[in-house]
Amino acid sequence: MNKVKTSSEKSSRTMSLLSQLEKINVDSVLGEADNARYVTSKILHLVQSQEKTRKEMTAKGSTGIEVILSTLENTKDHQTILNILNILIEVVSVGGGRRASVLVTKGGTQILLQLLLTASKDSPPNEELMVLLHTLLAKIGPKDKKIGMKARINGALNISLNLVKQNLQNHRLILPCLQVLRVYSTNSVNAVSLGKNGVVELMFKIIGPFSKKNTSLMKVALDTLAALLKSKTNARRAVDRGYVEVLLTIYIDWHRHDSRHRYMLIRKGVLQCIKSVTTIKLGRKAFIDANGMKILYNTSQECLAVRTLDPLVNTSSLIMRKCFPKNRLPLPTIKSAFHFQLPVIPASGPVAQLYNLPPDVDDVVDESDDNDDAETESEIEIENDDDKDQIFKNDDIETDINKLKPRQELGRSIEDLKMYEHFFPELSENFQECDLVSKEPKPFVPDANLGGPIVVPTAGEEHSAEVNQSTKGVILKESNPLLTEEYNRRPAFLELPKKDSIKDSSSSHQQNDQRNLLPSCQCLSQEIVEGLDKITLQNSAKNDPYCDTGCVIKKESKTSLTTLACNKPCEHVSPCGNSLFEGSSVQLGKLCCTGVDSEEEDSKSSSSGEQIVLEVSDVSPVHDCDLYIEMVKTTKSIPEYSEVAYPDYFGHIPPPYKEPILERPYGVQRTKIAQDIERLIHQSDIIDRVVYDLDNLSCSVSEEADVLKFNSKFESGNLRKVIQIRKNEYDLILNSDINSNHYHQWFYFEVSGMKTGIGYRFNIINCEKSNSQFNYGMQPLMYSVQEALNSRPCWTRVGTDICYYKNHFSRSSIAAGGQKGKSYYTITFTVTFQHKDDVCYFAYHYPYTYSTLKMHLQKLESMHNPQQIYFRQDILCETLAGNSCPLVTITAMPESSYYEHICQFRNRPYIFLSARVHPGETNASWVMKGTLEYLMSNNPSAQCLRESYIFKIIPMLNPDGVINGNHRCSLSGEDLNRQWQNPNPDLHPTIYHAKGLLQYLAAIKRLPLVYCDYHGHSRKKNVFMYGCSIKETMWHTNVNAVSSDLMEDPGYRALPKILSQTAPAFCMGSCSFVVEKSKESTARVVVWREIGVQRSYTMESTLCGCDQGKYKGLQIGTRELEEMGAKFCVGLLRLKRMASPLEFSLPSNLLDIENELIESSCKVTSPTTYVLDEDEPRFLEEVDYSAESNDDQDIELADNAGDYEVPNQEDGLSDSDSTRVLLS
């Protein structure tokens, strides 16, 4: 028993000493100073020798720190004070910031500052006491956010400053004093006050050229100076005294002498000072005048070989980017190159501002003077009482419960809504004259227009290209004998007209009455293909009875056709390759040189016809080249396009291989920025030649010039201007949306004249978003005509060294919605072409034109079985440009004309779908294509789905925007998905009438079960949904009292949950059901709130790829997008089964809403700028490759100056796994 007691006494020795100390404080007996000195010395000994003691003193519930601080506050004994300061230094030196925080919370800062004030009155002050006090303040200061204000109120600021001034040679004393000054300077008011007292000049007495002596002091002085120079007042003072040039001289000296890189922290400290001073315009000018760009560029290039020097390279790069003179975007105006006069000018908003601009205003120049606004001498101090790490707060979330509650408002009279009655004939059709199937469908006789069965898209089947083609080819051939004939009479991928419209040069094969055109590789010789420049398709060809579609091959050069069996020239060759025939005509872009050999057509055996079928079997059954041309002829564009892009004409087959998300090369962004900086340093190396310009159509490049040729004058094309920068580098400028001056993201253009084995760099220099998935593995798309002619007609992901970063082109406040000093961003990628003189197309995402939609709908209509499928295509309205907006109705025909079957038919619930309100989100159209093809397929579940619902579908809400290559707006210059609250019938006809259809359904009490608007998302991965929930919105505003009383049917979560279980690309974790103020006029919110549809969604599909599920690590393709469209239908079928009368409640595991909400941390942010007014919250990737800075985090270095600071990580984050940072 005694043994245990002894052990216990031993372990509580510290507590016993602290008790004695507390008793001494309470008794305050004279002569107790010796006892206090003795006890504190004993505690100091224990603290220095035992970590256990340090833990005990700061453990939860311990009063040790309070006793120590109380003694420090009350004692007058000098040695006791020194003992206690040493104790506290030992306690906080180990254990991270937690122990320092304990000291702060116990009031330690105030006590220490008071002690400092008292000690400073001694003359001279006690050096040992001052060293200890400042050392301790430097350690706990970073944990006390109000230390700057406390020091200023207590009058402690100048005590430390005067100590430094009076003891410049006493390095032991001024080192901790400088550390404390650095802490004080984080407060802007303190920094200004210290600056007025000469602290900046003082720092320049301490720092200097290379020396191995006192490097710790040099490092601390530099860090203090960098903190002080963040104050604009101090920065101006430094510039006025010529210190920018001094800093550059010091940096060069240390760079040259530190050959073994032992003093990197000092070198970086100098750079941090330069970085701080160049925050102001005067600093940037002084930096440029001192030749700083060249100095930092050269020194950083010398550091590239050593990976550990990356912090220096990154900081240098940041400074150079900041000081790079802002350039004007090389355009006459930021408004679109195309003009469309609106029938009505909005009273307010961006479009009104655009129309009200005086004609002589230069809307390109940045009038903001580098955002260096007038600064007052007394800078405003922001005392932030809030914790910076506070829980995420979003001011955009709607908090008004009355605004959140759905309120069914028709908004239009019943009489007015009757105009939509004719769009719903299915509600009154009696089918008495129709030949309906009874229980089983009658034998279906294929119509001559039938193109074969519709293959339901699925990305799950992964076969080799050969197996896949042959299998499907046989299926197609067996299922419809007409297919063989159709494919035999058309070249495989250069889809020429169905009848012989080309009089072959070979006299032995002019059989115009037969449909026997062979693939292009067999019927076109190399010389002919080389001579082909344009193919013009006219409405009629009266001189040739066999030219039903009027295909005319026009030849640019008079190449001799000697390789053919007969030298008879082609009758339709024209020497002028670029001219257009009169009348309505459509022109295909340049055809590349195929390099294929001509063969005798007679030598092809009968098996070759089968081979053709196999070759084209993967072509979508709804793609018809000839029909596409016919559709193009009725499409109305503002520039009056007369050319057709080959990818849209040939069609697209998903490649047979996977396309993984691109791994980002280390330091790629830094390298690209360095190359941009070279433009300023080595201006003589820049070609600066305009090679394409929509604003100057007379701009031409010599045919002999070794330069790429560009074109975007075709449907959905977007490329405004191209400038050759270096031999193989081009700056590209995108066109604004019509009647707008921004929204640059969608691109689609043609490139030709390339060579092989050369890396061509393309820079799209006027992007506006602050970050992009191009920084996270997304690649642009390329389509090679040469590959298409070689039976590989597909868009493929291409490009290396891809990144997205802020550039030096300034954005005027007119372009940035009034915000000043904004810059544009660059997408850069490098491509090496496979074929010489190929014709290639580049696009932001898989193009899907308006003409393609019309072709697909017409093919679907011609291919469906009218005995089984009710398919109806109406024109909802005409757009501003006069294009029709299709409205599609799909359901199953009634089993018979009996009353019961007709009733069942009419009473099916509605599903209302829409897509492509934003033209640049082409993936939405591919998802819609998957939906439409699934609904029209022979799949038994598709038939079940048709029997369950009536589908009303508007597959393209913004035809004009799509046709004219807009990214976000219609011809009105407005985002149509922000017009649903109050659409204008003259400016937003498609939205006005789409809403009218829904209002009509609400008026006749036939609310859709589901409304879903298909979108694309540029900044997140996977496919996901946004829905609407009052309760979840209130939860995210932390209004628990209100939300706990709310009763809400959780059924809105059912469909997304089903899709997360059935669709591989769908991610439930990315879904959000929060209603935001900025989204109150979107389709999703308006249909939910005003129309009363509970299941109202936006379905967002990634433009990049997936980071979960089956497709994790892969970029998304059309196969996966179409599969998503089909899976959406399957989800609706499951929803129907779950909601059937047999199952009154949804499965609990499907709608475990409470748990999911507790577990999830759905962060939704409102748009950050005027031009980012989108349905896109900021994405949170695993690594933040900031487009604002470099992409490489500083590697942590051994700190020669001690452990007083945490390594600075403000220069971006690294690609490498070792420095990967998880964002919470």
Side-chain angles (χ1 to χ4, degrees):
M1 185 75 182
N2 290 338
K3 197 171 185 181
V4 174
K5 189 177 179 181
T6 307
S7 173
S8 174
E9 285 173 355
K10 208 170 186 179
S11 68
S12 61
R13 178 90 184 275
T14 310
M15 293 297 107
S16 173
L17 289 169
L18 287 168
S19 298
Q20 289 181 42
L21 193 59
E22 188 175 14
K23 190 177 179 183
I24 292 169
N25 289 340
V26 172
D27 293 346
S28 301
V29 181
L30 222 80
E32 290 292 331
D34 290 342
N35 283 343
R37 198 179 307 144
Y38 171 78
V39 172
T40 51
S41 66
K42 287 288 183 184
I43 295 173
L44 175 61
H45 174 73
L46 286 172
V47 167
Q48 287 174 334
S49 59
Q50 294 180 15
E51 167 62 17
K52 181 183 176 183
T53 304
R54 295 193 286 269
K55 282 183 178 178
E56 274 185 49
M57 290 186 66
T58 55
K60 284 185 178 179
S62 170
T63 57
I65 293 293
E66 291 172 352
V67 172
I68 292 286
L69 287 174
S70 175
T71 307
L72 181 63
E73 193 174 14
N74 296 321
T75 187
K76 301 287 188 265
D77 182 66
H78 179 71
Q79 188 57 48
T80 303
I81 291 172
L82 294 180
N83 287 345
I84 290 175
L85 291 175
N86 277 308
I87 290 168
L88 293 174
I89 289 170
E90 287 293 334
V91 168
V92 300
S93 292
V94 186
R98 193 192 69 81
R99 293 181 185 176
S101 297
V102 170
L103 199 56
V104 171
T105 55
K106 303 289 185 184
T109 310
Q110 192 64 41
I111 292 168
L112 291 173
L113 288 171
Q114 194 59 47
L115 184 60
L116 177 64
L117 196 62
T118 305
S120 66
K121 294 174 182 175
D122 296 343
S123 184
N126 184 280
E127 180 181 322
E128 182 66 23
L129 179 58
M130 285 299 182
V131 169
L132 292 177
L133 268 172
H134 282 88
T135 301
L136 189 55
L137 280 169
K139 286 183 181 296
I140 71 167
K143 290 296 175 183
D144 188 345
K145 293 179 181 177
K146 294 187 178 180
I147 189 171
M149 184 177 65
K150 291 174 183 175
R152 188 171 66 254
I153 291 170
N154 283 324
L157 282 184
N158 289 328
I159 294 173
S160 304
L161 178 59
N162 291 331
L163 277 173
V164 176
K165 284 181 179 178
Q166 295 160 13
N167 298 276
L168 277 175
Q169 303 308 313
N170 188 345
H171 298 155
R172 178 173 177 267
L173 174 59
I174 67 171
L175 182 67
C177 289
L178 288 175
Q179 291 175 359
V180 170
L181 287 174
R182 181 181 185 277
V183 172
Y184 290 163
S185 300
T186 55
N187 180 296
S188 59
V189 176
N190 288 353
V192 173
S193 175
L194 289 167
K196 286 178 180 176
N197 289 324
V199 71
V200 176
E201 294 82 354
L202 185 64
M203 291 303 105
F204 277 94
K205 290 180 181 178
I206 300 172
I207 64 174
F210 178 80
S211 170
K212 292 184 180 179
K213 296 178 181 178
N214 305 317
T215 54
S216 295
L217 183 65
M218 174 81 171
K219 177 66 178 73
V220 176
L222 284 167
D223 288 338
T224 306
L225 180 60
L228 287 162
L229 292 177
K230 286 181 180 177
S231 155
K232 292 177 181 179
T233 306
N234 289 340
R236 279 196 301 277
R237 184 174 279 108
V239 173
D240 292 342
R241 286 159 177 70
Y243 288 149
V244 174
E245 191 170 358
V246 173
L247 286 168
L248 286 166
T249 306
I250 291 172
Y251 183 71
I252 294 170
D253 191 60
W254 281 86
H255 174 79
R256 287 176 180 165
H257 289 93
D258 185 22
S259 55
R260 300 182 70 178
H261 313 305
R262 289 182 174 178
Y263 305 107
M264 273 190 56
L265 289 173
I266 290 177
R267 289 158 68 182
K268 188 178 177 192
V270 179
L271 289 176
Q272 290 291 356
C273 292
I274 297 171
K275 182 182 168 190
S276 294
V277 82
T278 50
T279 303
I280 63 169
K281 186 181 178 184
L282 283 173
R284 293 191 287 276
K285 185 178 183 301
F287 177 81
I288 295 288
D289 293 343
N291 204 21
M293 293 291 282
K294 196 165 188 177
I295 290 169
L296 290 196
Y297 176 80
N298 290 336
T299 53
S300 61
Q301 291 302 300
E302 290 167 15
C303 293
L304 284 175
V306 185
R307 184 75 172 265
T308 53
L309 298 182
D310 279 353
L312 303 182
V313 179
N314 291 338
T315 309
S316 297
S317 179
L318 280 169
I319 296 166
M320 288 186 285
R321 290 182 71 188
K322 185 162 51 172
C323 297
F324 202 121
K326 293 282 192 230
N327 287 0
R328 172 197 173 99
L329 203 62
L331 290 175
T333 173
I334 51 171
K335 288 183 286 193
S336 173
F338 308 130
H339 177 69
F340 177 79
Q341 182 62 41
L342 293 175
V344 180
I345 308 300
S348 61
V351 180
Q353 292 169 15
L354 203 69
Y355 272 83
N356 293 329
L357 273 180
D360 57 341
V361 167
D362 186 350
D363 61 354
V364 184
V365 70
D366 179 18
E367 72 290 345
S368 67
D369 201 25
D370 259 347
N371 206 23
D372 194 33
D373 299 323
E375 300 139 6
T376 55
E377 279 298 311
S378 59
E379 299 182 22
I380 299 169
E381 177 188 11
I382 300 171
E383 302 288 1
N384 186 8
D385 294 328
D386 299 326
D387 189 344
K388 288 182 181 178
D389 300 324
Q390 63 185 331
I391 297 171
F392 180 87
K393 186 180 178 182
N394 179 10
D395 293 332
D396 190 35
I397 293 178
E398 184 59 75
T399 55
D400 188 339
I401 190 73
N402 295 317
K403 285 187 178 180
L404 280 173
K405 285 180 179 175
R407 52 184 194 283
Q408 199 166 328
E409 297 175 351
L410 289 182
R412 292 164 70 177
S413 68
I414 301 294
E415 290 300 315
D416 188 22
L417 291 172
K418 278 186 178 178
M419 64 184 287
Y420 300 107
E421 189 175 1
H422 72 278
F423 289 113
F424 298 90
E426 64 274 9
L427 297 179
S428 56
E429 178 69 66
N430 58 22
F431 299 98
Q432 294 304 314
E433 297 177 4
C434 295
D435 184 16
L436 298 174
V437 292
S438 181
K439 290 293 181 184
E440 295 190 6
K442 298 177 182 177
F444 176 53
V445 181
D447 184 75
N449 291 325
L450 191 66
I454 296 173
V455 180
V456 178
T458 171
E461 300 168 14
E462 295 173 1
H463 307 292
S464 67
E466 293 75 21
V467 174
N468 199 22
Q469 287 177 350
S470 60
T471 307
K472 288 189 177 179
V474 171
I475 292 170
L476 284 171
K477 195 176 176 187
E478 288 176 355
S479 60
N480 189 355
L482 291 175
L483 286 175
T484 310
E485 181 187 354
E486 181 169 345
Y487 286 128
N488 267 333
R489 62 187 168 87
R490 271 193 282 168
F493 294 106
L494 176 59
E495 298 271 13
L496 294 173
K498 297 175 181 176
K499 296 186 179 180
D500 275 347
S501 53
I502 300 177
K503 290 195 175 181
D504 200 310
S505 309
S506 178
S507 58
S508 59
H509 300 290
Q510 292 185 352
Q511 302 175 12
N512 292 329
D513 57 331
Q514 297 180 13
R515 300 175 179 179
N516 64 346
L517 287 183
L518 294 172
S520 55
C521 56
Q522 295 155 7
C523 67
L524 296 175
S525 73
Q526 181 172 351
E527 281 73 13
I528 287 180
V529 176
E530 283 177 346
L532 286 176
D533 184 43
K534 302 285 180 184
I535 299 177
T536 299
L537 296 158
Q538 295 181 286
N539 279 339
S540 61
K542 297 177 183 177
N543 297 332
D544 190 344
Y546 299 104
C547 288
D548 283 2
T549 54
C551 175
V552 182
I553 297 182
K554 303 200 294 182
K555 195 169 180 304
E556 188 173 25
S557 59
K558 298 180 181 179
T559 308
S560 171
L561 307 180
T562 52
T563 54
L564 294 179
C566 175
N567 287 336
K568 181 179 177 182
C570 181
E571 293 181 16
H572 295 288
V573 167
S574 165
C576 182
N578 291 317
S579 67
L580 283 171
F581 281 94
E582 293 181 3
S584 176
S585 63
V586 181
Q587 196 176 37
L588 263 77
K590 281 184 280 190
L591 194 64
C592 63
C593 171
T594 62
V596 294
D597 298 325
S598 61
E599 294 182 19
E600 288 293 323
E601 290 152 6
D602 287 346
S603 66
K604 299 300 287 180
S605 64
S606 59
S607 64
S608 66
E610 188 173 320
Q611 180 60 35
I612 294 169
V613 176
L614 298 180
E615 276 185 353
V616 301
S617 60
D618 262 348
V619 175
S620 170
V622 293
H623 189 87
D624 183 322
C625 303
D626 305 318
L627 182 57
Y628 183 80
I629 295 299
E630 293 304 311
M631 295 298 104
V632 169
K633 290 175 183 176
T634 59
T635 297
K636 299 171 185 176
S637 62
I638 303 308
E640 298 182 350
Y641 292 131
S642 58
E643 295 181 32
V644 173
Y646 274 96
D648 305 323
Y649 178 69
F650 283 133
H652 157 75
I653 299 174
Y657 48 84
K658 295 176 181 177
E659 295 182 294
I661 289 173
L662 193 68
E663 190 172 338
R664 184 183 174 95
Y666 178 81
V668 59
Q669 186 166 303
R670 187 179 65 194
T671 304
K672 297 300 178 187
I673 291 164
Q675 290 171 4
D676 285 354
I677 290 166
E678 286 172 14
R679 297 189 190 190
L680 183 70
I681 297 170
H682 306 297
Q683 293 183 14
S684 58
D685 295 343
I686 303 304
I687 299 171
D688 200 28
R689 172 167 55 181
V690 177
V691 297
Y692 181 74
D693 191 356
L694 283 183
D695 295 293
N696 178 18
L697 296 175
S698 60
C699 168
S700 61
V701 180
S702 169
E703 288 296 324
E704 291 77 32
D706 186 14
V707 62
L708 294 178
K709 296 169 184 62
F710 294 82
N711 181 33
S712 63
K713 296 190 282 285
F714 46 79
E715 187 176 350
S716 293
N718 190 318
L719 179 64
R720 181 171 188 166
K721 189 171 185 177
V722 181
I723 303 166
Q724 186 181 18
I725 299 300
R726 299 181 178 94
K727 186 179 179 183
N728 300 314
E729 182 180 353
Y730 298 84
D731 277 359
L732 282 60
I733 301 175
L734 303 181
N735 196 20
S736 301
D737 286 4
I738 293 175
N739 276 315
S740 168
N741 54 23
H742 50 276
Y743 299 120
H744 311 109
Q745 189 166 333
W746 168 255
F747 58 86
Y748 184 17
F749 57 88
E750 172 195 290
V751 178
S752 58
M754 65 284 292
K755 294 180 179 178
T756 56
I758 295 173
Y760 291 92
R761 178 180 170 183
F762 300 97
N763 311 307
I764 298 172
I765 62 172
N766 63 330
C767 301
E768 293 167 310
K769 290 193 174 185
S770 59
N771 212 333
S772 166
Q773 283 291 324
F774 282 115
N775 272 340
Y776 299 90
M778 185 167 87
Q779 294 173 282
L781 286 145
M782 188 185 84
Y783 191 106
S784 162
V785 174
Q786 176 65 69
E787 288 292 299
L789 293 174
N790 292 337
S791 304
R792 290 183 292 275
C794 57
W795 286 98
T796 54
R797 301 276 188 174
V798 298
T800 56
D801 294 344
I802 301 171
C803 61
Y804 185 95
Y805 58 91
K806 184 187 275 190
N807 61 32
H808 55 275
F809 291 103
S810 62
R811 206 154 104 213
S812 69
S813 64
I814 295 172
Q819 297 184 55
K820 294 184 177 182
K822 305 286 286 184
S823 293
Y824 285 105
Y825 293 80
T826 292
I827 300 169
T828 181
F829 57 93
T830 302
V831 175
T832 304
F833 297 98
Q834 291 182 326
H835 306 286
K836 184 183 178 185
D837 292 327
D838 195 357
V839 176
C840 292
Y841 292 80
F842 289 94
Y844 179 66
H845 198 68
Y846 302 93
Y848 191 103
T849 65
Y850 172 68
S851 298
T852 300
L853 171 68
K854 291 194 294 182
M855 174 194 68
H856 282 166
L857 291 178
Q858 191 154 328
K859 289 292 286 185
L860 286 171
E861 187 166 13
S862 67
M863 293 162 71
H864 83 284
N865 179 348
Q867 292 176 313
Q868 287 186 332
I869 302 175
Y870 180 98
F871 179 95
R872 178 185 171 92
Q873 186 181 169
D874 294 295
I875 295 174
L876 175 64
C877 62
E878 281 201 345
T879 63
L880 291 176
N883 293 292
S884 60
C885 178
L887 170 67
V888 176
T889 306
I890 301 173
T891 188
M893 292 293 280
E895 282 191 53
S896 72
S897 55
Y898 291 137
Y899 175 77
E900 293 83 354
H901 292 155
I902 298 297
C903 278
Q904 190 277 336
F905 174 86
R906 292 180 182 174
N907 287 304
R908 293 169 187 166
Y910 276 95
I911 302 289
F912 203 109
L913 307 177
S914 59
R916 206 68 185 281
V917 71
H918 295 142
E921 295 168 8
T922 58
N923 46 359
S925 282
W926 288 99
V927 176
M928 180 57 78
K929 179 175 181 280
T931 294
L932 287 168
E933 291 187 15
Y934 183 88
L935 289 175
M936 297 294 287
S937 71
N938 298 329
N939 191 306
S941 61
Q943 176 62 19
C944 184
L945 192 62
R946 290 191 294 266
E947 291 170 355
S948 303
Y949 299 114
I950 300 173
F951 288 86
K952 283 289 177 186
I953 301 173
I954 306 175
M956 194 171 282
L957 278 166
N958 191 352
D960 288 345
V962 172
I963 293 164
N964 295 289
N966 283 7
H967 170 62
R968 194 163 185 85
C969 300
S970 69
L971 292 185
S972 72
E974 296 166 299
D975 181 347
L976 290 183
N977 202 35
R978 292 293 184 280
Q979 310 305 324
W980 278 79
Q981 266 188 327
N982 189 26
N984 184 310
D986 297 317
L987 292 175
H988 326 115
T990 60
I991 304 302
Y992 181 81
H993 294 297
K995 185 177 182 181
L997 292 176
L998 288 157
Q999 288 170 323
Y1000 176 77
L1001 285 173
I1004 63 170
K1005 309 300 182 188
R1006 293 295 301 273
L1007 274 182
L1009 178 70
V1010 171
Y1011 170 76
C1012 189
D1013 192 20
Y1014 293 5
H1015 282 253
H1017 205 292
S1018 71
R1019 296 199 258 176
K1020 289 178 76 174
K1021 291 184 169 69
N1022 311 309
V1023 181
F1024 51 94
M1025 279 179 155
Y1026 295 137
C1028 301
S1029 162
I1030 307 175
K1031 201 158 189 174
E1032 293 196 41
T1033 303
M1034 299 311 290
W1035 272 334
H1036 280 284
T1037 57
N1038 296 320
V1039 190
N1040 295 320
V1042 178
S1043 60
S1044 59
D1045 298 332
L1046 284 171
M1047 295 298 293
E1048 185 176 41
D1049 180 0
Y1052 62 88
R1053 273 185 163 248
L1055 184 57
K1057 192 71 176 179
I1058 291 168
L1059 292 176
S1060 71
Q1061 296 171 353
T1062 56
F1066 195 89
C1067 176
M1068 188 69 188
S1070 297
C1071 295
S1072 169
F1073 304 93
V1074 174
V1075 180
E1076 297 171 272
K1077 297 171 188 173
S1078 60
K1079 307 295 166 54
E1080 65 181 8
S1081 55
T1082 60
R1084 163 178 62 101
V1085 177
V1086 170
V1087 173
W1088 171 70
R1089 184 183 288 166
E1090 293 184 22
I1091 310 297
V1093 178
Q1094 185 205 18
R1095 295 183 175 92
S1096 179
Y1097 305 104
T1098 298
M1099 185 162 74
E1100 301 272 1
S1101 300
T1102 178
L1103 291 159
C1104 178
C1106 298
D1107 59 12
Q1108 53 86 45
K1110 178 181 174 182
Y1111 304 131
K1112 184 177 181 178
L1114 298 178
Q1115 294 186 77
I1116 204 156
T1118 57
R1119 182 186 284 113
E1120 292 77 29
L1121 291 168
E1122 290 184 54
E1123 179 195 55
M1124 187 63 236
K1127 293 289 187 183
F1128 180 83
C1129 296
V1130 175
L1132 290 173
L1133 192 58
R1134 288 202 180 184
L1135 184 69
K1136 168 73 174 177
R1137 290 169 182 163
M1138 289 165 53
S1140 68
L1142 297 176
E1143 301 178 49
F1144 290 99
S1145 60
L1146 297 170
S1148 58
N1149 65 324
L1150 193 68
L1151 298 176
D1152 195 359
I1153 181 172
E1154 303 278 349
N1155 291 338
E1156 279 197 17
L1157 282 166
I1158 293 166
E1159 292 167 8
S1160 69
S1161 56
C1162 175
K1163 295 182 178 180
V1164 187
T1165 68
S1166 55
T1168 53
T1169 68
Y1170 162 77
V1171 297
L1172 300 182
D1173 187 22
E1174 310 186 7
D1175 300 309
E1176 296 191 4
R1178 285 174 55 242
F1179 60 95
L1180 291 176
E1181 290 284 351
E1182 184 179 10
V1183 180
D1184 179 15
Y1185 297 120
S1186 173
E1188 305 283 338
S1189 61
N1190 300 288
D1191 52 346
D1192 308 309
Q1193 180 189 353
D1194 292 352
I1195 295 170
E1196 293 189 13
L1197 306 163
D1199 191 342
N1200 294 340
D1203 61 355
Y1204 71 93
E1205 71 163 335
V1206 178
N1208 197 327
Q1209 296 183 356
E1210 64 187 335
D1211 298 330
L1213 302 173
S1214 170
D1215 316 54
S1216 62
D1217 291 334
S1218 61
T1219 53
R1220 186 156 288 187
V1221 177
L1222 294 176
L1223 298 180
S1224 57

